[in-house]
PDB file of all heavy atoms in Angstrom:
ATOM      1  N   VAL K1558     114.281 122.752  90.791  1.00  0.00           N
ATOM      2  CA  VAL K1558     114.720 122.846  92.170  1.00  0.00           C
ATOM      3  C   VAL K1558     114.581 121.473  92.822  1.00  0.00           C
ATOM      4  O   VAL K1558     113.615 120.753  92.581  1.00  0.00           O
ATOM      5  CB  VAL K1558     113.874 123.889  92.933  1.00  0.00           C
ATOM      6  CG1 VAL K1558     114.112 123.802  94.435  1.00  0.00           C
ATOM      7  CG2 VAL K1558     114.176 125.291  92.430  1.00  0.00           C
ATOM      8  N   SER K1559     115.553 121.120  93.658  1.00  0.00           N
ATOM      9  CA  SER K1559     115.493 119.844  94.367  1.00  0.00           C
ATOM     10  C   SER K1559     116.195 119.960  95.713  1.00  0.00           C
ATOM     11  O   SER K1559     116.898 120.928  95.982  1.00  0.00           O
ATOM     12  CB  SER K1559     116.135 118.725  93.531  1.00  0.00           C
ATOM     13  OG  SER K1559     117.517 118.984  93.325  1.00  0.00           O
ATOM     14  N   SER K1560     116.007 118.960  96.558  1.00  0.00           N
ATOM     15  CA  SER K1560     116.710 118.792  97.836  1.00  0.00           C
ATOM     16  C   SER K1560     116.656 120.011  98.766  1.00  0.00           C
ATOM     17  O   SER K1560     117.693 120.444  99.283  1.00  0.00           O
ATOM     18  CB  SER K1560     118.184 118.424  97.581  1.00  0.00           C
ATOM     19  OG  SER K1560     118.296 117.300  96.774  1.00  0.00           O
ATOM     20  N   PRO K1561     115.487 120.584  99.016  1.00  0.00           N
ATOM     21  CA  PRO K1561     115.448 121.717  99.955  1.00  0.00           C
ATOM     22  C   PRO K1561     115.785 121.263 101.372  1.00  0.00           C
ATOM     23  O   PRO K1561     115.355 120.193 101.808  1.00  0.00           O
ATOM     24  CB  PRO K1561     114.001 122.203  99.845  1.00  0.00           C
ATOM     25  CG  PRO K1561     113.225 120.992  99.420  1.00  0.00           C
ATOM     26  CD  PRO K1561     114.139 120.218  98.533  1.00  0.00           C
ATOM     27  N   LYS K1562     116.567 122.091 102.080  1.00  0.00           N
ATOM     28  CA  LYS K1562     116.953 121.758 103.450  1.00  0.00           C
ATOM     29  C   LYS K1562     117.033 123.048 104.281  1.00  0.00           C
ATOM     30  O   LYS K1562     117.610 124.037 103.845  1.00  0.00           O
ATOM     31  CB  LYS K1562     118.310 121.038 103.488  1.00  0.00           C
ATOM     32  CG  LYS K1562     118.304 119.643 102.881  1.00  0.00           C
ATOM     33  CD  LYS K1562     119.680 119.009 103.003  1.00  0.00           C
ATOM     34  CE  LYS K1562     119.662 117.567 102.506  1.00  0.00           C
ATOM     35  NZ  LYS K1562     119.470 117.462 101.055  1.00  0.00           N
ATOM     36  N   TRP K1563     116.472 122.999 105.485  1.00  0.00           N
ATOM     37  CA  TRP K1563     116.532 124.106 106.421  1.00  0.00           C
ATOM     38  C   TRP K1563     117.868 124.110 107.157  1.00  0.00           C
ATOM     39  O   TRP K1563     118.412 123.059 107.478  1.00  0.00           O
ATOM     40  CB  TRP K1563     115.419 124.000 107.463  1.00  0.00           C
ATOM     41  CG  TRP K1563     114.026 124.081 106.916  1.00  0.00           C
ATOM     42  CD1 TRP K1563     113.248 123.045 106.489  1.00  0.00           C
ATOM     43  CD2 TRP K1563     113.243 125.261 106.751  1.00  0.00           C
ATOM     44  NE1 TRP K1563     112.029 123.500 106.058  1.00  0.00           N
ATOM     45  CE2 TRP K1563     111.994 124.866 106.217  1.00  0.00           C
ATOM     46  CE3 TRP K1563     113.464 126.620 107.006  1.00  0.00           C
ATOM     47  CZ2 TRP K1563     110.982 125.767 105.931  1.00  0.00           C
ATOM     48  CZ3 TRP K1563     112.457 127.530 106.724  1.00  0.00           C
ATOM     49  CH2 TRP K1563     111.233 127.097 106.197  1.00  0.00           C
ATOM     50  N   SER K1564     118.370 125.299 107.471  1.00  0.00           N
ATOM     51  CA  SER K1564     119.523 125.391 108.367  1.00  0.00           C
ATOM     52  C   SER K1564     119.067 124.995 109.769  1.00  0.00           C
ATOM     53  O   SER K1564     117.878 125.031 110.087  1.00  0.00           O
ATOM     54  CB  SER K1564     120.092 126.806 108.370  1.00  0.00           C
ATOM     55  OG  SER K1564     119.125 127.743 108.794  1.00  0.00           O
ATOM     56  N   ALA K1565     120.030 124.617 110.615  1.00  0.00           N
ATOM     57  CA  ALA K1565     119.688 124.143 111.956  1.00  0.00           C
ATOM     58  C   ALA K1565     118.983 125.213 112.782  1.00  0.00           C
ATOM     59  O   ALA K1565     118.118 124.897 113.622  1.00  0.00           O
ATOM     60  CB  ALA K1565     120.947 123.677 112.678  1.00  0.00           C
ATOM     61  N   ASP K1566     119.303 126.487 112.546  1.00  0.00           N
ATOM     62  CA  ASP K1566     118.635 127.556 113.300  1.00  0.00           C
ATOM     63  C   ASP K1566     117.325 128.003 112.658  1.00  0.00           C
ATOM     64  O   ASP K1566     116.624 128.875 113.181  1.00  0.00           O
ATOM     65  CB  ASP K1566     119.571 128.759 113.482  1.00  0.00           C
ATOM     66  CG  ASP K1566     120.023 129.367 112.148  1.00  0.00           C
ATOM     67  OD1 ASP K1566     119.449 129.026 111.095  1.00  0.00           O
ATOM     68  OD2 ASP K1566     120.965 130.184 112.166  1.00  0.00           O
ATOM     69  N   GLY K1567     116.987 127.407 111.524  1.00  0.00           N
ATOM     70  CA  GLY K1567     115.725 127.696 110.853  1.00  0.00           C
ATOM     71  C   GLY K1567     115.661 129.036 110.151  1.00  0.00           C
ATOM     72  O   GLY K1567     114.608 129.425 109.640  1.00  0.00           O
ATOM     73  N   LYS K1568     116.794 129.742 110.071  1.00  0.00           N
ATOM     74  CA  LYS K1568     116.786 131.071 109.486  1.00  0.00           C
ATOM     75  C   LYS K1568     117.049 131.085 107.985  1.00  0.00           C
ATOM     76  O   LYS K1568     116.800 132.094 107.324  1.00  0.00           O
ATOM     77  CB  LYS K1568     117.830 131.954 110.187  1.00  0.00           C
ATOM     78  CG  LYS K1568     117.514 132.223 111.656  1.00  0.00           C
ATOM     79  CD  LYS K1568     118.586 133.096 112.285  1.00  0.00           C
ATOM     80  CE  LYS K1568     118.270 133.387 113.750  1.00  0.00           C
ATOM     81  NZ  LYS K1568     119.327 134.234 114.383  1.00  0.00           N
ATOM     82  N   GLN K1569     117.583 129.980 107.465  1.00  0.00           N
ATOM     83  CA  GLN K1569     117.927 129.932 106.048  1.00  0.00           C
ATOM     84  C   GLN K1569     117.471 128.610 105.425  1.00  0.00           C
ATOM     85  O   GLN K1569     117.219 127.630 106.129  1.00  0.00           O
ATOM     86  CB  GLN K1569     119.442 130.074 105.874  1.00  0.00           C
ATOM     87  CG  GLN K1569     120.022 131.356 106.412  1.00  0.00           C
ATOM     88  CD  GLN K1569     121.530 131.361 106.332  1.00  0.00           C
ATOM     89  OE1 GLN K1569     122.120 131.836 105.359  1.00  0.00           O
ATOM     90  NE2 GLN K1569     122.182 130.806 107.342  1.00  0.00           N
ATOM     91  N   LEU K1570     117.392 128.634 104.126  1.00  0.00           N
ATOM     92  CA  LEU K1570     117.021 127.442 103.373  1.00  0.00           C
ATOM     93  C   LEU K1570     117.996 127.302 102.205  1.00  0.00           C
ATOM     94  O   LEU K1570     118.342 128.293 101.552  1.00  0.00           O
ATOM     95  CB  LEU K1570     115.596 127.581 102.837  1.00  0.00           C
ATOM     96  CG  LEU K1570     114.993 126.296 102.262  1.00  0.00           C
ATOM     97  CD1 LEU K1570     114.377 125.475 103.387  1.00  0.00           C
ATOM     98  CD2 LEU K1570     113.951 126.612 101.211  1.00  0.00           C
ATOM     99  N   ALA K1571     118.458 126.095 101.979  1.00  0.00           N
ATOM    100  CA  ALA K1571     119.328 125.824 100.833  1.00  0.00           C
ATOM    101  C   ALA K1571     118.660 124.778  99.944  1.00  0.00           C
ATOM    102  O   ALA K1571     117.873 123.955 100.415  1.00  0.00           O
ATOM    103  CB  ALA K1571     120.698 125.339 101.293  1.00  0.00           C
ATOM    104  N   PHE K1572     118.965 124.826  98.664  1.00  0.00           N
ATOM    105  CA  PHE K1572     118.428 123.853  97.721  1.00  0.00           C
ATOM    106  C   PHE K1572     119.369 123.737  96.538  1.00  0.00           C
ATOM    107  O   PHE K1572     120.294 124.541  96.369  1.00  0.00           O
ATOM    108  CB  PHE K1572     117.018 124.232  97.257  1.00  0.00           C
ATOM    109  CG  PHE K1572     116.909 125.603  96.632  1.00  0.00           C
ATOM    110  CD1 PHE K1572     117.132 125.784  95.271  1.00  0.00           C
ATOM    111  CD2 PHE K1572     116.555 126.709  97.400  1.00  0.00           C
ATOM    112  CE1 PHE K1572     117.023 127.041  94.688  1.00  0.00           C
ATOM    113  CE2 PHE K1572     116.447 127.968  96.836  1.00  0.00           C
ATOM    114  CZ  PHE K1572     116.681 128.141  95.476  1.00  0.00           C
ATOM    115  N   ILE K1573     119.153 122.736  95.724  1.00  0.00           N
ATOM    116  CA  ILE K1573     119.919 122.542  94.492  1.00  0.00           C
ATOM    117  C   ILE K1573     119.065 123.006  93.321  1.00  0.00           C
ATOM    118  O   ILE K1573     117.859 122.723  93.268  1.00  0.00           O
ATOM    119  CB  ILE K1573     120.340 121.074  94.324  1.00  0.00           C
ATOM    120  CG1 ILE K1573     121.395 120.703  95.380  1.00  0.00           C
ATOM    121  CG2 ILE K1573     120.888 120.812  92.927  1.00  0.00           C
ATOM    122  CD1 ILE K1573     121.816 119.249  95.355  1.00  0.00           C
ATOM    123  N   SER K1574     119.679 123.733  92.389  1.00  0.00           N
ATOM    124  CA  SER K1574     118.975 124.200  91.197  1.00  0.00           C
ATOM    125  C   SER K1574     119.880 124.066  89.987  1.00  0.00           C
ATOM    126  O   SER K1574     121.105 124.151  90.099  1.00  0.00           O
ATOM    127  CB  SER K1574     118.554 125.661  91.360  1.00  0.00           C
ATOM    128  OG  SER K1574     118.087 126.189  90.132  1.00  0.00           O
ATOM    129  N   ASN K1575     119.252 123.860  88.830  1.00  0.00           N
ATOM    130  CA  ASN K1575     120.006 123.784  87.570  1.00  0.00           C
ATOM    131  C   ASN K1575     119.875 125.075  86.765  1.00  0.00           C
ATOM    132  O   ASN K1575     120.084 125.071  85.555  1.00  0.00           O
ATOM    133  CB  ASN K1575     119.523 122.593  86.740  1.00  0.00           C
ATOM    134  CG  ASN K1575     118.110 122.765  86.211  1.00  0.00           C
ATOM    135  OD1 ASN K1575     117.378 123.654  86.644  1.00  0.00           O
ATOM    136  ND2 ASN K1575     117.721 121.924  85.271  1.00  0.00           N
ATOM    137  N   ARG K1576     119.516 126.187  87.416  1.00  0.00           N
ATOM    138  CA  ARG K1576     119.312 127.441  86.678  1.00  0.00           C
ATOM    139  C   ARG K1576     120.602 127.915  86.009  1.00  0.00           C
ATOM    140  O   ARG K1576     120.565 128.690  85.059  1.00  0.00           O
ATOM    141  CB  ARG K1576     118.763 128.533  87.601  1.00  0.00           C
ATOM    142  CG  ARG K1576     119.712 129.047  88.653  1.00  0.00           C
ATOM    143  CD  ARG K1576     119.126 130.214  89.445  1.00  0.00           C
ATOM    144  NE  ARG K1576     117.977 129.810  90.265  1.00  0.00           N
ATOM    145  CZ  ARG K1576     117.389 130.623  91.142  1.00  0.00           C
ATOM    146  NH1 ARG K1576     117.823 131.864  91.303  1.00  0.00           N
ATOM    147  NH2 ARG K1576     116.368 130.200  91.866  1.00  0.00           N
ATOM    148  N   ASP K1577     121.756 127.455  86.515  1.00  0.00           N
ATOM    149  CA  ASP K1577     123.048 127.794  85.912  1.00  0.00           C
ATOM    150  C   ASP K1577     123.585 126.597  85.134  1.00  0.00           C
ATOM    151  O   ASP K1577     124.794 126.339  85.128  1.00  0.00           O
ATOM    152  CB  ASP K1577     124.037 128.223  87.000  1.00  0.00           C
ATOM    153  CG  ASP K1577     125.299 128.843  86.422  1.00  0.00           C
ATOM    154  OD1 ASP K1577     125.209 129.474  85.354  1.00  0.00           O
ATOM    155  OD2 ASP K1577     126.369 128.668  87.027  1.00  0.00           O
ATOM    156  N   ASP K1578     122.684 125.836  84.519  1.00  0.00           N
ATOM    157  CA  ASP K1578     122.988 124.654  83.710  1.00  0.00           C
ATOM    158  C   ASP K1578     123.315 123.450  84.594  1.00  0.00           C
ATOM    159  O   ASP K1578     122.603 122.452  84.575  1.00  0.00           O
ATOM    160  CB  ASP K1578     124.121 124.933  82.722  1.00  0.00           C
ATOM    161  CG  ASP K1578     124.334 123.765  81.760  1.00  0.00           C
ATOM    162  OD1 ASP K1578     123.341 123.107  81.426  1.00  0.00           O
ATOM    163  OD2 ASP K1578     125.484 123.537  81.357  1.00  0.00           O
ATOM    164  N   LYS K1579     124.380 123.511  85.373  1.00  0.00           N
ATOM    165  CA  LYS K1579     124.741 122.421  86.278  1.00  0.00           C
ATOM    166  C   LYS K1579     123.948 122.555  87.581  1.00  0.00           C
ATOM    167  O   LYS K1579     123.499 123.640  87.952  1.00  0.00           O
ATOM    168  CB  LYS K1579     126.235 122.464  86.601  1.00  0.00           C
ATOM    169  CG  LYS K1579     127.149 122.348  85.389  1.00  0.00           C
ATOM    170  CD  LYS K1579     127.127 120.960  84.793  1.00  0.00           C
ATOM    171  CE  LYS K1579     128.128 120.837  83.654  1.00  0.00           C
ATOM    172  NZ  LYS K1579     128.117 119.499  83.033  1.00  0.00           N
ATOM    173  N   ASN K1580     123.803 121.444  88.304  1.00  0.00           N
ATOM    174  CA  ASN K1580     123.167 121.482  89.611  1.00  0.00           C
ATOM    175  C   ASN K1580     124.096 122.151  90.621  1.00  0.00           C
ATOM    176  O   ASN K1580     125.186 121.634  90.900  1.00  0.00           O
ATOM    177  CB  ASN K1580     122.818 120.069  90.088  1.00  0.00           C
ATOM    178  CG  ASN K1580     121.576 119.518  89.427  1.00  0.00           C
ATOM    179  OD1 ASN K1580     120.694 120.273  89.041  1.00  0.00           O
ATOM    180  ND2 ASN K1580     121.505 118.207  89.301  1.00  0.00           N
ATOM    181  N   GLN K1581     123.686 123.284  91.148  1.00  0.00           N
ATOM    182  CA  GLN K1581     124.487 124.026  92.125  1.00  0.00           C
ATOM    183  C   GLN K1581     123.651 124.309  93.364  1.00  0.00           C
ATOM    184  O   GLN K1581     122.411 124.261  93.327  1.00  0.00           O
ATOM    185  CB  GLN K1581     124.979 125.348  91.519  1.00  0.00           C
ATOM    186  CG  GLN K1581     125.738 125.232  90.219  1.00  0.00           C
ATOM    187  CD  GLN K1581     127.137 124.630  90.360  1.00  0.00           C
ATOM    188  OE1 GLN K1581     127.585 124.315  91.470  1.00  0.00           O
ATOM    189  NE2 GLN K1581     127.843 124.464  89.248  1.00  0.00           N
ATOM    190  N   ILE K1582     124.338 124.629  94.474  1.00  0.00           N
ATOM    191  CA  ILE K1582     123.649 124.950  95.728  1.00  0.00           C
ATOM    192  C   ILE K1582     123.275 126.426  95.743  1.00  0.00           C
ATOM    193  O   ILE K1582     124.103 127.295  95.435  1.00  0.00           O
ATOM    194  CB  ILE K1582     124.529 124.630  96.946  1.00  0.00           C
ATOM    195  CG1 ILE K1582     124.892 123.139  96.974  1.00  0.00           C
ATOM    196  CG2 ILE K1582     123.811 125.009  98.243  1.00  0.00           C
ATOM    197  CD1 ILE K1582     125.897 122.781  98.058  1.00  0.00           C
ATOM    198  N   TYR K1583     122.037 126.704  96.102  1.00  0.00           N
ATOM    199  CA  TYR K1583     121.546 128.067  96.290  1.00  0.00           C
ATOM    200  C   TYR K1583     121.049 128.205  97.731  1.00  0.00           C
ATOM    201  O   TYR K1583     120.598 127.227  98.337  1.00  0.00           O
ATOM    202  CB  TYR K1583     120.412 128.383  95.316  1.00  0.00           C
ATOM    203  CG  TYR K1583     120.885 128.558  93.890  1.00  0.00           C
ATOM    204  CD1 TYR K1583     121.250 127.450  93.117  1.00  0.00           C
ATOM    205  CD2 TYR K1583     120.977 129.818  93.313  1.00  0.00           C
ATOM    206  CE1 TYR K1583     121.698 127.611  91.815  1.00  0.00           C
ATOM    207  CE2 TYR K1583     121.419 129.981  92.012  1.00  0.00           C
ATOM    208  CZ  TYR K1583     121.780 128.876  91.269  1.00  0.00           C
ATOM    209  OH  TYR K1583     122.230 129.040  89.981  1.00  0.00           O
ATOM    210  N   ILE K1584     121.115 129.406  98.238  1.00  0.00           N
ATOM    211  CA  ILE K1584     120.722 129.653  99.620  1.00  0.00           C
ATOM    212  C   ILE K1584     119.844 130.908  99.678  1.00  0.00           C
ATOM    213  O   ILE K1584     120.055 131.854  98.919  1.00  0.00           O
ATOM    214  CB  ILE K1584     121.972 129.806 100.525  1.00  0.00           C
ATOM    215  CG1 ILE K1584     121.582 129.838 101.989  1.00  0.00           C
ATOM    216  CG2 ILE K1584     122.818 130.995 100.142  1.00  0.00           C
ATOM    217  CD1 ILE K1584     122.779 129.704 102.925  1.00  0.00           C
ATOM    218  N   MET K1585     118.833 130.875 100.549  1.00  0.00           N
ATOM    219  CA  MET K1585     117.940 132.021 100.671  1.00  0.00           C
ATOM    220  C   MET K1585     117.484 132.170 102.119  1.00  0.00           C
ATOM    221  O   MET K1585     117.556 131.208 102.905  1.00  0.00           O
ATOM    222  CB  MET K1585     116.730 131.880  99.747  1.00  0.00           C
ATOM    223  CG  MET K1585     115.790 130.745 100.087  1.00  0.00           C
ATOM    224  SD  MET K1585     114.510 130.455  98.825  1.00  0.00           S
ATOM    225  CE  MET K1585     113.707 132.051  98.749  1.00  0.00           C
ATOM    226  N   SER K1586     117.015 133.349 102.465  1.00  0.00           N
ATOM    227  CA  SER K1586     116.493 133.600 103.801  1.00  0.00           C
ATOM    228  C   SER K1586     115.167 132.864 103.986  1.00  0.00           C
ATOM    229  O   SER K1586     114.368 132.749 103.043  1.00  0.00           O
ATOM    230  CB  SER K1586     116.284 135.101 104.004  1.00  0.00           C
ATOM    231  OG  SER K1586     115.541 135.349 105.177  1.00  0.00           O
ATOM    232  N   ALA K1587     114.935 132.388 105.199  1.00  0.00           N
ATOM    233  CA  ALA K1587     113.666 131.726 105.502  1.00  0.00           C
ATOM    234  C   ALA K1587     112.501 132.703 105.498  1.00  0.00           C
ATOM    235  O   ALA K1587     111.342 132.297 105.566  1.00  0.00           O
ATOM    236  CB  ALA K1587     113.754 131.034 106.859  1.00  0.00           C
ATOM    237  N   LYS K1588     112.798 133.993 105.384  1.00  0.00           N
ATOM    238  CA  LYS K1588     111.744 134.997 105.258  1.00  0.00           C
ATOM    239  C   LYS K1588     111.357 135.212 103.800  1.00  0.00           C
ATOM    240  O   LYS K1588     110.479 136.021 103.494  1.00  0.00           O
ATOM    241  CB  LYS K1588     112.219 136.316 105.869  1.00  0.00           C
ATOM    242  CG  LYS K1588     112.484 136.242 107.360  1.00  0.00           C
ATOM    243  CD  LYS K1588     112.970 137.578 107.897  1.00  0.00           C
ATOM    244  CE  LYS K1588     113.243 137.498 109.401  1.00  0.00           C
ATOM    245  NZ  LYS K1588     113.750 138.789 109.935  1.00  0.00           N
ATOM    246  N   GLY K1589     112.048 134.501 102.902  1.00  0.00           N
ATOM    247  CA  GLY K1589     111.776 134.651 101.487  1.00  0.00           C
ATOM    248  C   GLY K1589     112.784 135.569 100.833  1.00  0.00           C
ATOM    249  O   GLY K1589     113.795 135.952 101.419  1.00  0.00           O
ATOM    250  N   GLY K1590     112.542 135.913  99.582  1.00  0.00           N
ATOM    251  CA  GLY K1590     113.468 136.771  98.855  1.00  0.00           C
ATOM    252  C   GLY K1590     114.245 135.994  97.819  1.00  0.00           C
ATOM    253  O   GLY K1590     114.050 134.795  97.618  1.00  0.00           O
ATOM    254  N   GLU K1591     115.166 136.679  97.154  1.00  0.00           N
ATOM    255  CA  GLU K1591     115.926 136.077  96.066  1.00  0.00           C
ATOM    256  C   GLU K1591     116.980 135.118  96.611  1.00  0.00           C
ATOM    257  O   GLU K1591     117.622 135.389  97.629  1.00  0.00           O
ATOM    258  CB  GLU K1591     116.607 137.171  95.232  1.00  0.00           C
ATOM    259  CG  GLU K1591     117.375 136.663  94.025  1.00  0.00           C
ATOM    260  CD  GLU K1591     116.486 135.920  93.038  1.00  0.00           C
ATOM    261  OE1 GLU K1591     115.302 136.299  92.899  1.00  0.00           O
ATOM    262  OE2 GLU K1591     116.973 134.961  92.415  1.00  0.00           O
ATOM    263  N   ALA K1592     117.156 134.000  95.914  1.00  0.00           N
ATOM    264  CA  ALA K1592     118.163 133.014  96.310  1.00  0.00           C
ATOM    265  C   ALA K1592     119.540 133.422  95.782  1.00  0.00           C
ATOM    266  O   ALA K1592     119.662 133.991  94.702  1.00  0.00           O
ATOM    267  CB  ALA K1592     117.790 131.636  95.790  1.00  0.00           C
TER     268      ALA K1592
END
Side-chain angles (χ1 to χ4, degrees):
V1558 168
S1559 63
S1560 305
K1562 292 181 175 69
W1563 297 90
S1564 60
D1566 60 12
K1568 295 180 179 179
Q1569 300 174 93
L1570 191 85
F1572 57 88
I1573 291 176
S1574 170
N1575 68 347
R1576 69 175 67 173
D1577 191 32
D1578 187 33
K1579 301 289 185 181
N1580 282 332
Q1581 305 288 358
I1582 300 173
Y1583 288 75
I1584 189 168
M1585 66 189 302
S1586 168
K1588 296 179 180 179
E1591 183 60 34

